[in-house]
Amino acid sequence: MERPLWREAWEAPAVETGESVGDAHNAPLRLEAFLDNIRSAWNVGSIFRSADGAGFSRVHLCGISPTPQYPGVAKTALGAEQCLPWEYASDGVALARRLLEEGCHLWALEQDERAEPLEAVRDQIPVGRLALVVGNEVCGVDPGIIERCQRVVYLPMRGGKRSLNVAVAFGIAAFILRGK
């Protein structure tokens, strides 16, 4: 597959920036965002804003997900990208494996045969680190990442469409998880 020309503008090695705000690092539940191949810089920026607002402690970007070095991310994040530590990893499956080795729980927000309504498992949110995994707007979360997730959850839909925009879905799920 040919790489998009704009990818060069924001492709970077693993980088961490920002300082965590509030008491996110001291909470019994440390929420982290795991963005797998999110194509849209505006969705990534919006997820940064929602993650910051919900008290997340870190954002993991992988695959083709643009980093805050890309102007579209910063434009939409409105400074949230400077408040949250973030890292970039080219290989999402390797990132998932590493997070699991570090004791982080992985929950994918995805339409999948294993998926349970997020509201139904709110009382089963683990203590410690929990990364909410969201995936590509068209293809979803990489199957190699999904198979490493302890849980797959979804937001029930009432209309004709089966899904929401990834940034909107992330924001809803982030505040449901934070409500614990």
Side-chain angles (χ1 to χ4, degrees):
M1 182 168 102
E2 191 173 50
R3 292 164 39 106
L5 295 176
W6 47 263
R7 179 147 170 82
E8 306 306 328
W10 49 261
E11 184 171 44
V15 175
E16 294 188 22
T17 62
E19 294 297 324
S20 183
V21 295
D23 62 348
H25 285 292
N26 299 323
L29 174 62
R30 273 190 53 204
L31 291 171
E32 301 178 15
F34 184 127
L35 284 57
D36 173 43
N37 288 310
I38 303 294
R39 298 176 306 155
S40 165
W42 296 278
N43 282 338
V44 171
S46 181
I47 290 170
F48 262 94
R49 285 182 66 193
S50 294
D52 180 51
F56 277 50
S57 62
R58 176 173 299 278
V59 176
H60 305 276
L61 303 155
C62 62
I64 65 169
S65 300
T67 69
Q69 296 160 324
Y70 186 72
V73 173
K75 179 179 181 178
T76 312
L78 294 175
E81 80 284 6
Q82 296 173 8
C83 297
L84 279 172
W86 60 272
E87 72 171 321
Y88 172 80
S90 60
D91 184 343
V93 175
L95 174 62
R97 205 174 8 247
R98 188 192 88 213
L99 291 176
L100 288 169
E101 288 170 2
E102 293 173 359
C104 185
H105 300 274
L106 299 178
W107 284 22
L109 181 61
E110 183 63 276
Q111 298 288 339
D112 184 81
E113 63 272 356
R114 286 177 32 197
E116 308 168 81
L118 181 55
E119 287 285 334
V121 296
R122 280 180 75 171
D123 61 339
Q124 298 169 34
I125 297 171
V127 173
R129 289 174 64 195
L130 171 63
L132 178 61
V133 181
V134 293
N136 182 277
E137 295 91 329
V138 175
C139 306
V141 177
D142 180 307
I145 296 171
I146 288 248
E147 71 182 39
R148 286 166 175 76
C149 290
Q150 290 95 345
R151 275 232 145 94
V152 181
V153 296
Y154 70 95
L155 300 173
M157 302 298 296
R158 297 180 191 259
K161 297 301 290 176
R162 292 187 49 223
S163 66
L164 296 168
N165 168 277
V166 65
V168 172
F170 175 86
I172 293 167
F175 280 90
I176 289 172
L177 290 171
R178 176 51 66 205
K180 181 179 185 219

